[in-house]
Amino acid sequence: MAETKERIIGIDLGTTNSCAAMVRGGRPEIIPNAEGERVTPSVVVFSDNEEVLVGQLAKRQSLLSADRAVLSVKRKMGTDWRFNVSRDGQQEEYTPEQVSAYVLQKIKRDAEDFLGGEVNKAVITVPAYFNNLQRQATKDAGKIAGLEVLRIINEPTAASLAYGLDRRQQEQTILVYDFGGGTFDASILELGEGVFEVVASDGDTELGGDDIDQRIMDWLVDEFRSETGIDLSQDVAALQRLRDAAEGAKKELSSRMEAKISLPYLTADATGPKHLEKTLTRARLEGMIEDIIQRTMNIVDNTLEAGKKSPEDIHQVVLVGGS
């Protein structure tokens, strides 16, 4: 009988979204989840019964079950934070590692379904600024999920490897600008003989793509209020649809100059159903988020200063994005 080749996957355990990949035929390949998507929302919802929702289904349920939903748990890794929830009349408590393990379990299960066999080993990426407690907590989450974590890799190093910069022969200095779904990080790496060294790193754990989504949502709420007199800010069902539409428009504006947002039957009043129809241009979006972008540039400046580098010292800039 032929020996089965051991499967090792790489996992980006993100603040907002997570994904998995493996090397096949000498090339990295993203592993789609059970829903056919390349990324899995890092959201866990503990329902009132024994069920635990993870991923896209949990994300859609999170606004309706806010007291049972855990989002952005990555920010709590390595701390004594606990999530308490009442389920089936009993109080339950979960650590950040346990919550993260639910996300990792789904990634593991989906990878096994896609690859047609067991997956028991993984490499997981973490921010360069993660301390030893946070790195160990990530390893512990993998262990709870049934994974042997072979290695923890700094995210800027992983991004540079993905771009193939390790195959360049000349020494160079790289700036990684990592604007994720929930966090922003800037890191300076020096490359020599295929080895990366993180020279300096800085970031903001409360800055990311979610903030852009929120700006679009706020704009839609304001526009709808001015046109109809209806305030959607307390309408949970409407807010979920607005959040999905905001994220979709943001992604569309990455490649187009304008995005149309259409939400029929968003709500209703005594006069009948109300619909939302708006067009968001890239120029308007850039105006909305100008201060957010400036915050990232301030962090880049701080990272350059900490690394004792000037912009002229940077040979490559690697842009890493989240949702």
Side-chain angles (χ1 to χ4, degrees):
M1 181 180 292
E3 183 179 352
T4 302
K5 189 174 181 180
E6 187 176 48
R7 294 184 176 90
I8 302 173
I9 62 173
I11 299 175
D12 176 7
L13 183 60
T15 307
T16 305
N17 292 295
S18 298
C19 71
M22 70 173 300
V23 176
R24 294 211 293 191
R27 296 179 61 84
E29 178 182 338
I30 295 293
I31 300 172
N33 60 23
E35 294 74 37
E37 301 292 336
R38 293 165 61 88
V39 297
T40 297
S42 303
V43 182
V44 178
V45 171
F46 297 91
S47 63
D48 194 28
N49 50 39
E50 294 300 314
E51 191 177 16
V52 178
L53 306 178
V54 183
Q56 189 61 46
L57 187 57
K59 181 179 178 181
R60 293 189 178 280
Q61 188 69 25
S62 60
L63 274 178
L64 298 173
S65 305
D67 60 332
R68 300 179 174 278
V70 186
L71 297 83
S72 304
V73 73
K74 182 176 179 177
R75 295 171 177 166
K76 310 297 184 183
M77 297 295 278
T79 72
D80 59 2
W81 175 89
R82 298 291 184 270
F83 180 73
N84 294 283
V85 62
S86 176
R87 303 181 73 203
D88 199 21
Q90 301 292 323
Q91 280 295 124
E92 298 181 5
E93 182 179 86
Y94 296 89
T95 66
E97 295 90 334
Q98 290 172 318
V99 176
S100 296
Y102 280 111
V103 178
L104 291 172
Q105 282 172 347
K106 174 172 171 52
I107 290 174
K108 177 180 185 295
R109 184 170 60 251
D110 290 351
E112 290 174 337
D113 290 343
F114 179 75
L115 298 171
E118 286 190 359
V119 173
N120 298 313
K121 297 185 178 182
V123 174
I124 302 179
T125 62
V126 297
Y129 61 78
F130 257 27
N131 59 33
N132 288 335
L133 285 175
Q134 292 167 306
R135 292 169 188 269
Q136 185 59 50
T138 304
K139 283 186 175 182
D140 292 343
K143 184 176 181 180
I144 295 170
L147 291 166
E148 179 185 351
V149 181
L150 299 177
R151 192 173 178 187
I152 296 290
I153 296 182
N154 289 330
E155 288 168 358
T157 301
S160 299
L161 288 169
Y163 274 82
L165 297 183
D166 57 312
R167 295 191 289 273
R168 309 285 176 89
Q169 296 301 314
Q170 71 274 24
E171 294 184 359
Q172 53 184 316
T173 302
I174 302 162
L175 171 67
V176 179
Y177 179 103
D178 186 352
F179 193 86
T183 61
F184 172 76
D185 306 303
S187 300
I188 296 174
L189 289 75
E190 289 188 342
L191 169 63
E193 299 181 354
V195 177
F196 289 102
E197 178 187 357
V198 179
V199 175
S201 186
D202 195 8
D204 188 335
T205 59
E206 302 292 337
L207 177 64
D210 290 347
D211 297 286
I212 296 178
D213 296 347
Q214 189 62 51
R215 290 290 173 86
I216 299 174
M217 286 178 64
D218 292 343
W219 173 68
L220 291 172
V221 168
D222 290 343
E223 291 287 301
F224 195 79
R225 184 190 298 115
S226 66
E227 293 173 2
T228 67
I230 300 175
D231 182 6
L232 296 174
S233 62
Q234 303 302 315
D235 187 332
V236 175
L239 286 175
Q240 181 62 66
R241 294 183 66 189
L242 287 174
R243 186 182 302 280
D244 291 342
E247 183 178 357
K250 176 188 68 178
K251 292 178 179 178
E252 188 174 348
L253 289 172
S254 296
S255 57
R256 303 184 63 178
M257 297 306 294
E258 65 177 37
K260 295 188 181 300
I261 300 172
S262 177
L263 295 173
Y265 301 97
L266 184 59
T267 189
D269 62 9
T271 64
K274 301 297 179 183
H275 318 295
L276 185 148
E277 297 281 347
K278 301 298 297 183
T279 297
L280 178 61
T281 65
R282 185 184 294 180
R284 181 184 285 272
L285 176 62
E286 289 173 350
M288 288 181 190
I289 64 172
E290 185 176 0
D291 62 313
I292 293 176
I293 302 304
Q294 186 56 52
R295 284 170 63 187
T296 71
M297 296 311 300
N298 292 341
I299 292 171
V300 169
D301 290 340
N302 292 340
T303 307
L304 288 169
E305 183 177 353
K308 299 180 180 178
K309 303 290 183 183
S310 69
E312 291 72 26
D313 295 324
I314 305 300
H315 298 100
Q316 297 267 0
V317 176
V318 176
L319 301 178
V320 185
S323 295

